[in-house]
Amino acid sequence: MSPNSEGGGGATTAGQAPMRVVVATGNRHKVEEIRAALAFTSWEFVAAADLGGWPEPEETGETFEENARIKALAASETYGLPALADDSGLEVDALDGEPGVYSSRYAGSCATDAENNARLLLALGDTPRVRREARFRSVIVLVREDGSEVVAEGVCEGHIGTEPRGEHGFGYDPLFWPDATPGRTMAELPMAEKNAISHRGAALRALHDLLEAVGE
Ligand code: ITT
């Protein structure tokens, strides 16, 4: 079944209990996007924060994949369930790929989205439009109950604007103009539209395809 086809049940065969998966994140926006992007499957996503005792592991990795693995393993060990983690961020060409894995902490360890966005605008200064190319990247790690892993990645190309626009989404969405939606920032896209073109949506579809290819 194609990930976009209707009818659900792509992850389990008819009659089986839905696969319960812990989403290893403290970011509620991610949980909502993941639920919406994979709503066509019969998977049931439970937010780690809702189960209590989420350890919020330190993200000591140097890559998105390493950090996603740290979070997914922590959740699967804590809750004894399959666990899915997203590690993601913004790579700006004119800043040599920054903020990258430090996206959530760009303006400091407890920085708000608004503070991170302000720091990004400051770092780019009057850099002209042609040099404001950037991409969001998401790496998803699923740790199954038997400890085996599936890794998937997605990117979304675009550029950084000069002032925030839009109310949807989170993080750098108000500053990011996806190539796929000319005239609108990511924060001007309702969730379904964002998921259709976003890095996280692409990574989740790739994950689903990988599982489907092995009959799961
Ligand atoms: P968890 O680690 O608990 O999942 P987090 O928000 O800290 O939550 P990351 O460590 O993966 O997640 O950092 C991702 C940061 O990258 C996020 O805080 C945003 O600043 C940015 N980011 C990632 N995906 C984004 C998106 O879809 N829209 C806007 N900004 C995004």
Side-chain angles (χ1 to χ4, degrees), residues 25-27 30 59 71 87-88 170 172-173 194 199-200:
T25 182
N27 181 331
K30 284 189 187 179
E59 296 182 25
K71 291 185 270 192
D87 201 66
S88 48
F170 68 98
Y172 299 93
D173 282 344
K194 175 177 174 181
H199 49 309
R200 189 166 302 104

Side-chain angles (χ1 to χ4, degrees), residues 22-190:
V22 183
V23 185
T25 182
N27 181 331
R28 299 231 162 245
H29 293 278
K30 284 189 187 179
V31 181
E32 283 172 27
E33 288 185 11
I34 289 165
R35 282 197 180 117
L38 293 181
F40 65 92
T41 71
S42 60
W43 300 352
E44 182 194 344
F45 294 102
V46 189
D50 289 339
L51 291 175
W54 171 230
E56 286 271 7
E58 208 183 328
E59 296 182 25
T60 52
E62 288 178 6
T63 64
F64 294 120
E65 182 174 333
E66 285 170 9
N67 282 336
R69 181 168 293 114
I70 287 169
K71 291 185 270 192
L73 283 172
S76 93
E77 281 164 18
T78 303
Y79 304 110
L81 287 168
L84 181 151
D86 158 284
D87 201 66
S88 48
L90 183 67
E91 300 170 346
V92 181
D93 292 349
L95 302 175
D96 296 326
E98 279 192 1
V101 292
Y102 301 105
S103 292
S104 66
R105 307 164 257 169
Y106 192 38
S109 58
C110 297
T112 63
D113 288 345
E115 288 165 346
N116 285 330
N117 283 337
R119 163 131 197 232
L120 178 61
L121 287 179
L122 198 63
L124 282 173
D126 56 5
T127 303
R129 159 71 186 86
V130 288
R131 296 195 51 242
R132 298 176 85 96
E133 303 299 328
R135 73 204 51 75
F136 277 124
R137 188 179 301 278
S138 159
V139 176
I140 304 264
V141 171
L142 173 74
V143 174
R144 298 175 172 109
E145 236 157 357
D146 66 2
S148 63
E149 287 180 11
V150 186
V151 181
E153 180 167 338
V155 294
C156 177
E157 299 284 344
H159 74 273
I160 305 302
T162 53
E163 58 183 17
R165 245 178 71 166
E167 302 297 328
H168 296 293
F170 68 98
Y172 299 93
D173 282 344
L175 290 180
F176 187 80
W177 294 73
D179 291 346
T181 57
R184 284 183 299 166
T185 67
M186 195 77 116
E188 292 177 298
L189 307 179

